[in-house]
Amino acid sequence: MSRGSGKGLSLKDKLDGNELDLSLCDLNEVPVRELAALPKATVLDLSCNNLISLPSDFCSLMHLVKLDLSKNRLQQLPLDFGRLVNLQHLDLLNNRLVTLPVSFAQLKNLKWLDLKDNPLDPVLAKVAGDCLDEKQCKQAAVKVLQHMKAIQSEQDRQRQRKLQAEREMEKKREAEQRAKEAQERELRKREKAEEKERRRREYDAQKAAKQEMEKKAKKETVHTRKPASSSRPPQPPRHKPSWSRSVLRVLLFVLFCILCTLAACKLTELQHQPLCVSVNTLYEDVVAALQNHKTLQNMLQHNSQH
């Protein structure tokens, strides 16, 4: 490890038992992969380097028991720093830390902690104390863990409240959606019933109109068959013409036509026409034949007198 990145430097050469000293190596990055290959190195010293941050995979070094990160330029720790559950001793002296990740509360085995010379949040700084001796650093570890557990519990409660509020909101939305759907179903049902009632009224009206028309037509038929109203004066009964009277009328009409024809053929210029000549001849023959019958002649005379 080169001095800037740690590459080209043999970590095994720096390993002394279970202690690995990488202090004063001018490191800008932590050689996490190489450190992971040395699970025996439970004590790691990275003090006095140029570390600004720790990579997220640094928290995979769960075999670490003691860690010294003092006198770097760390501005924050990884969010899952609490994965280092075997960590008992942590030195963060003289960095640029303001807060600690909430997962810090999971470091249940932490017994020693130094946070001096960091621009800590006033509340956190008051909880951590000065850490001027072994006792104060142990107390700092206990108090900071309690403080971070309280923060974690509060965040969990807030998260639970948020989840509960979201569930209630979701239930409310579902209830509103169900109410809306029920209202829409009721509206469709009402509209369907109204449409059915409208069609039924139309059917009843058409049926009533049809019955009224049939009743009116029946009344008109009955009126046409009834005799004239009693208010009118009674008319004398009409006698049906007899058959003989009709025959007589026909005979009179024929006789009238014959007389008109004879008059026209006797008295007008038409007497020289062939038709009139035939008619005149026929008339003279008929008269001559009738004169031979005295009975008929007497009858004719009698009728002429009448």
Side-chain angles (χ1 to χ4, degrees):
M1 292 186 300
S2 66
R3 295 188 66 82
S5 62
K7 294 180 180 180
L9 180 64
S10 176
L11 297 185
K12 290 184 179 180
D13 296 338
K14 289 183 171 292
L15 182 61
D16 184 9
N18 66 337
E19 297 183 6
L20 179 61
D21 187 2
L22 296 181
S23 62
L24 300 171
C25 290
D26 198 21
L27 296 177
N28 295 320
E29 299 177 0
V30 179
V32 177
R33 184 176 299 177
E34 289 81 359
L35 291 174
L38 298 173
K40 292 182 180 181
T42 57
V43 178
L44 177 61
D45 188 355
L46 290 171
S47 63
C48 302
N49 283 291
N50 299 318
L51 300 177
I52 298 177
S53 62
L54 298 177
S56 59
D57 57 351
F58 180 83
C59 302
S60 64
L61 303 176
M62 299 176 62
H63 60 275
L64 294 178
V65 176
K66 183 176 181 179
L67 176 61
D68 189 351
L69 292 169
S70 62
K71 297 181 181 179
N72 278 279
R73 294 184 293 169
L74 294 174
Q75 298 179 1
Q76 61 183 4
L77 297 179
L79 293 178
D80 55 348
F81 193 79
R83 291 176 58 193
L84 302 175
V85 291
N86 294 314
L87 198 61
Q88 299 179 12
H89 186 108
L90 178 60
D91 192 346
L92 293 171
L93 171 72
N94 194 9
N95 277 278
R96 299 178 182 178
L97 298 174
V98 177
T99 60
L100 296 175
V102 179
S103 65
F104 200 90
Q106 299 173 12
L107 300 177
K108 58 183 180 179
N109 292 315
L110 190 64
K111 303 293 188 297
W112 194 98
L113 177 63
D114 189 358
L115 287 171
K116 291 192 307 295
D117 298 331
N118 281 281
L120 296 175
D121 177 80
V123 176
L124 180 60
K126 184 178 180 180
V127 172
D130 294 331
C131 189
L132 298 176
D133 54 28
E134 188 74 10
K135 183 179 178 180
Q136 289 182 348
C137 292
K138 289 182 178 180
Q139 290 178 349
V142 174
K143 292 181 178 179
V144 169
L145 281 179
Q146 291 177 349
H147 176 69
M148 298 308 298
K149 287 180 180 178
I151 293 176
Q152 186 181 44
S153 298
E154 181 61 25
Q155 288 187 356
D156 290 341
R157 285 193 294 271
Q158 291 180 359
R159 190 179 301 108
Q160 289 297 327
R161 286 194 293 268
K162 184 177 180 181
L163 290 174
Q164 184 66 22
E166 291 177 353
R167 292 193 194 100
E168 292 178 356
M169 184 63 66
E170 182 65 23
K171 290 180 180 179
K172 184 178 180 180
R173 284 195 296 267
E174 291 177 355
E176 291 176 352
Q177 182 66 24
R178 288 194 296 269
K180 183 178 179 181
E181 292 175 354
Q183 186 177 4
E184 290 177 352
R185 287 195 300 270
E186 185 64 24
L187 180 60
R188 289 194 297 269
K189 184 178 179 181
R190 191 183 305 115
E191 290 177 350
K192 187 176 180 180
E194 291 176 355
E195 178 65 18
K196 185 177 180 180
E197 180 64 20
R198 183 185 65 80
R199 292 199 304 266
R200 188 187 65 78
R201 287 196 300 267
E202 289 180 355
Y203 173 78
D204 291 342
Q206 292 176 358
K207 186 176 180 181
K210 184 177 180 181
Q211 291 177 352
E212 185 65 23
M213 290 177 65
E214 291 177 353
K215 187 176 180 181
K216 187 176 180 181
K218 186 176 181 181
K219 286 183 179 180
E220 291 177 354
T221 304
V222 171
H223 283 306
T224 54
R225 291 180 179 178
K226 285 183 178 181
S229 176
S230 59
S231 60
R232 295 182 180 180
Q235 296 180 358
R238 297 179 180 180
H239 299 284
K240 294 184 179 180
S242 63
W243 179 80
S244 59
R245 185 173 297 179
S246 299
V247 173
L248 181 60
R249 287 179 180 178
V250 173
L251 292 175
L252 290 175
F253 178 73
V254 172
L255 182 59
F256 176 75
C257 291
I258 293 172
L259 292 175
C260 290
T261 304
L262 289 173
C265 292
K266 290 287 187 180
L267 302 176
T268 63
E269 297 178 354
L270 296 175
Q271 59 184 345
H272 301 292
Q273 294 295 328
L275 179 61
C276 286
V277 171
S278 299
V279 171
N280 291 332
T281 303
L282 180 61
Y283 174 75
E284 291 175 357
D285 292 340
V286 171
V287 172
L290 291 175
Q291 288 177 355
N292 293 327
H293 297 80
K294 292 181 179 181
T295 305
L296 291 175
Q297 185 177 5
N298 292 331
M299 186 182 293
L300 289 173
Q301 288 177 358
H302 180 72
N303 287 334
S304 64
Q305 289 176 1
H306 283 289

